[in-house]
Amino acid sequence: MKLWDKGAYLVNGTLTENGAGCDAAAGKKKTIAYSILQKHNTSGDDAKLKIKFDKITSHDITYVGIIQTARASGLEKFPLPYVLTNCHNSLCAVGGTINEDDHMFGLTCAQKYGGIYVPPHQAVIHQFAREMLAECGAMILGSDSHTRYGALGTMAIGEGGGELAKQLLNKTYDVAYPGVVAIYLTGAPVPGVGPQDVALAIIKAVFDNGYVKNKVMEFVGPGVANLSADFRIGVDVMTTETTCLSSIWKTDAKVEEWYAIHGRPTAYKELNPQEGAYYDGAIEIDLSEIRPMIAMPFHPSCAYTIDEVNKNLMDILDATEKRAKVSFGDKVNFTLKNKVIDGKLYVDQGVIAGCAGGGFENICAAADILKGKDTGNGKFLLNVYPASMPVYMELMKNGAFGALIDAGAIVKTAFCGPCFGAGDTPANGAFSIRHSTRNFPNREGSKIQNGQLSSVALMDARSIAATAANKGFLTAATEYDTEFSGKKYFFDKGIYEKRVYDSKGVAHPEVEIQFGPNIKDWPEQKALADDLLVKVVSEIHDPVTTTDELIPSGETSSFRSNPLGLAEFTLSRKDPAYVGRAKAVRDLTDEVKTEIKSAVEALTKKDAELGKKAANAGTGSTIFAVKPGDGSAREQAASCQRVLGASANIANEYATKRYRSNLINWGMLPFIYKEGDKNLPFANGDYVFIPGVKKMIAEKLPSIKAYAVRKDGSVSEFELSVGDLTDDERKIILAGCLINFYRD
């Protein structure tokens, strides 16, 4: 794999530094990405985009909040196709009637406002979108970070709920034109290598260096033709883990066949970059050189070949333990060395599931490897979740299920739970291998605050099956001489026609929305004050802070329709004292009032005018994190902080655009402190005064002076900025949140 350190032209199907007669400015307009983005841009400015999407989609831990936001802002009808899937809170196992209450809210909203409702266990969000929504040249916005349909010619973006609410209110998705990076594929994968192997190799190469951060990955090159549509989909969905903005692939006869199989032949058209297309960077990948991979805890970028792990096992387990220290400190003693038996790594569980692993070809390949074999009757357990009921039906018909069940696997229905900790949580100390999307700390559902800790490694379905055939000892699929059957897929659309509610865009305003007792309105938020005094209530120095650490996934998802209820879990696995500290500031307890009085006195000693402003300033809380927001698009990572009284985040940088957008949509200032995290001018428990903050936002000032008031009464001056903001983003922050902005 080669990462270019400069731009590249695509000339005669080949990457080159200097195309004869090529011009970079003109070449930028010849990419597939440019043509699709400009087709959906309403601004008239190709550098500052205002995108209107063709369709949007959400699942059942996001759509209640989105619709509640839009309703509070004047929603009367869904102005574009909006699909509400029910693949996250599908088990109805936690919180009494909460999950099914959310589902009934979704169904009645689809009826009232003219949407599409997919019942539980029918399909995971992204598989339904692939099967029923994607079209070549279209754009889809989803409230899930893995909204990626580029392999099918659709540019898709995963964002927080506020961005979907904007589309429901006929507003736009505003973003500067992104850089576009060519992913140039050659060769063909060797037997036993699957899409997750290719994806993990890419993530390993680009995550730490930010090579594709907030850019579009455009897949081109002769190697694309050597991949089936299903294989491309499996690579594409994992591009989210690179922190790119979106992805797009050239399309061909294999994609055309995919649409024909799914009964939508008119959704296909050929997409190719024009001759002389210019890319801001390029990655060359020889698919034939990719080998089975494993991403060790606690990030998809912690990837190695399985052969490398088996040859250097103890060294790699040492590195994993060091990563655990970064995430957990001394709260738990994490090790995987107790999984080493006779020099081999033993795993306790295998899972093939969801939008990444639950595809037809992945499960067929796993069945081919396991046919006639036995997973054993020890601890090791293999669970398989097809991504949709049509996929389930075909696997049942073609014998793949028979081979899996005969080998000892458990087959289940479409569910995203194993990906985010609401299903298949391993035992304490156990180690799981999964063809899913993420392996962040506690992502699998363990709770460090209760002394529980299990962990996940990411692998392709093929090597998971090979490991299962080897009774749980880590094994690459290439070690088995498997004859892959290459079963053909047949899609039965009647399964959806019988169960999915499709309004065909017709609203029925007479329908009463069905509310459950857990579904609550968003609490009122105040507009931005002229001056702001905030208390630092958490300080995080991890290199990256994930959204899972900001608001845990798993069983907490049952409370995502209840802003106040969910907020109780904020940072619970990272900083359990955060909620109490934030509430104290929000509620202005006597202790906080005393602290504020002391801070005002300290500022007055430095400058009487500062003290006067501070005495009348708006108050709130903030956290400091080095690089927050990697991972999920769910807006609750920001909204929970806001509900608890937060006014801002302070960070060295933000891991993703979507998390920063979530902060903005909830009226929180996305402050940037550029001097790193060493020798911060403030610490947890200190106050930060930002005079003139309203003026800074309203008048587009590049930075502002802030004052840290330490516990000892000392005051130091430093600088904060907020980066680029669109005009609407400034108005949202000034109004106090997106709801206020649209309501006003």
Side-chain angles (χ1 to χ4, degrees), residues 55-67 81-88 116-118 123-126 128-129 133 140-144 147 149 159-161 164-165 168 635:
K55 301 164 187 174
I56 60 176
T57 185
S58 298
H59 52 64
D60 48 350
I61 60 173
T62 56
Y63 65 60
V64 176
I66 292 165
I67 295 171
Y82 185 16
V83 175
L84 311 177
T85 65
N86 295 276
C87 49
H88 280 59
I116 300 166
Y117 173 86
V118 183
V124 301
I125 178 173
H126 304 308
F128 186 84
L133 303 181
I140 294 176
L141 180 68
S143 59
D144 184 275
T147 305
Y149 317 126
E159 284 281 355
L164 277 83
L168 291 177
E635 65 182 293

Side-chain angles (χ1 to χ4, degrees), residues 22 25 70 80 141 168 203 206 221 225 229 237 243 322-323 331 378 393 395 498 519 537 600 676 709 727:
C22 291
L80 75 172
L141 180 68
L168 291 177
I203 295 164
V206 304
V237 70
T243 70
K322 289 176 182 176
R323 286 194 293 273
K331 296 174 187 175
M393 174 72 89
L395 293 167
K498 293 181 180 74
I519 298 174
V537 290
V600 170
V709 185
D727 288 344

Side-chain angles (χ1 to χ4, degrees), residues 42-374:
T42 64
S43 71
D45 182 344
D46 63 4
K48 296 181 179 180
L49 309 180
K50 289 182 173 291
I51 301 293
K52 283 206 168 184
F53 289 85
D54 299 295
K55 301 164 187 174
I56 60 176
T57 185
S58 298
H59 52 64
D60 48 350
I61 60 173
T62 56
Y63 65 60
V64 176
I66 292 165
I67 295 171
Q68 288 287 70
T69 298
R71 289 180 68 245
S73 305
L75 174 71
E76 296 181 355
K77 180 185 183 297
F78 295 157
L80 75 172
Y82 185 16
V83 175
L84 311 177
T85 65
N86 295 276
C87 49
H88 280 59
N89 281 353
S90 304
L91 292 182
C92 305
V94 177
T97 67
I98 288 175
N99 295 349
E100 193 63 11
D101 288 343
D102 286 353
H103 299 162
M104 291 304 97
F105 175 93
L107 174 59
T108 52
C109 284
Q111 294 168 338
K112 184 179 186 69
Y113 297 119
I116 300 166
Y117 173 86
V118 183
H121 304 287
Q122 288 294 305
V124 301
I125 178 173
H126 304 308
Q127 185 66 13
F128 186 84
R130 295 162 187 153
E131 293 170 350
M132 304 301 292
L133 303 181
E135 298 178 58
C136 291
M139 289 192 73
I140 294 176
L141 180 68
S143 59
D144 184 275
S145 59
H146 291 99
T147 305
R148 291 284 189 272
Y149 317 126
L152 298 174
T154 300
M155 278 194 71
I157 298 175
E159 284 281 355
E163 295 302 324
L164 277 83
K166 291 177 184 177
Q167 296 289 311
L168 291 177
L169 297 166
N170 285 305
K171 307 299 181 181
T172 57
Y173 175 79
D174 300 347
V175 64
Y177 183 78
V180 183
V181 175
I183 315 300
Y184 188 80
L185 304 181
T186 59
V190 301
V193 166
Q196 187 81 324
D197 299 317
V198 177
L200 292 177
I202 295 172
I203 295 164
K204 178 182 178 68
V206 304
F207 178 77
D208 285 341
N209 57 29
Y211 191 79
V212 296
K213 182 179 177 180
N214 293 332
K215 297 175 182 176
V216 176
M217 298 172 71
E218 184 159 309
F219 288 77
V220 294
V224 173
N226 296 326
L227 303 178
S228 68
D230 243 25
F231 197 112
R232 299 176 204 182
I233 286 168
V235 176
D236 187 60
V237 70
M238 292 297 292
T239 59
T240 296
E241 304 311 318
T242 68
T243 70
C244 74
L245 179 72
S246 187
S247 62
I248 192 68
W249 294 56
K250 61 181 289 189
T251 61
D252 56 19
K254 290 183 179 178
V255 176
E256 184 175 21
E257 180 188 29
W258 196 94
Y259 278 115
I261 288 169
H262 288 80
R264 300 193 295 120
T266 58
Y268 174 77
K269 70 176 180 180
E270 186 175 346
L271 299 178
N272 275 301
Q274 298 175 45
E275 182 70 9
Y278 179 80
Y279 296 93
D280 299 285
I283 305 171
E284 295 183 69
I285 303 170
D286 182 348
L287 295 166
S288 67
E289 293 183 355
I290 303 294
R291 293 296 178 266
M293 303 286 290
I294 178 171
M296 296 294 285
F298 294 93
H299 196 275
S301 63
C302 301
Y304 309 85
T305 67
I306 293 175
D307 285 346
E308 186 180 0
V309 171
N310 285 332
K311 289 175 183 175
N312 304 284
L313 185 53
M314 300 311 290
D315 288 343
I316 289 171
L317 295 184
D318 276 336
T320 303
E321 289 182 7
K322 289 176 182 176
R323 286 194 293 273
K325 283 288 185 186
V326 172
S327 293
F328 305 125
D330 296 323
K331 296 174 187 175
V332 292
N333 182 26
F334 174 84
T335 185
L336 290 177
K337 291 177 182 174
N338 58 0
K339 302 296 178 187
V340 179
I341 302 174
D342 296 331
K344 298 178 181 178
L345 185 62
Y346 180 80
V347 300
D348 302 284
Q349 180 196 66
V351 178
I352 301 170
C355 60
F360 175 76
E361 288 184 7
N362 288 329
I363 297 175
C364 284
D368 289 337
I369 291 169
L370 280 166
K371 187 174 182 179
K373 299 182 178 68
D374 176 6

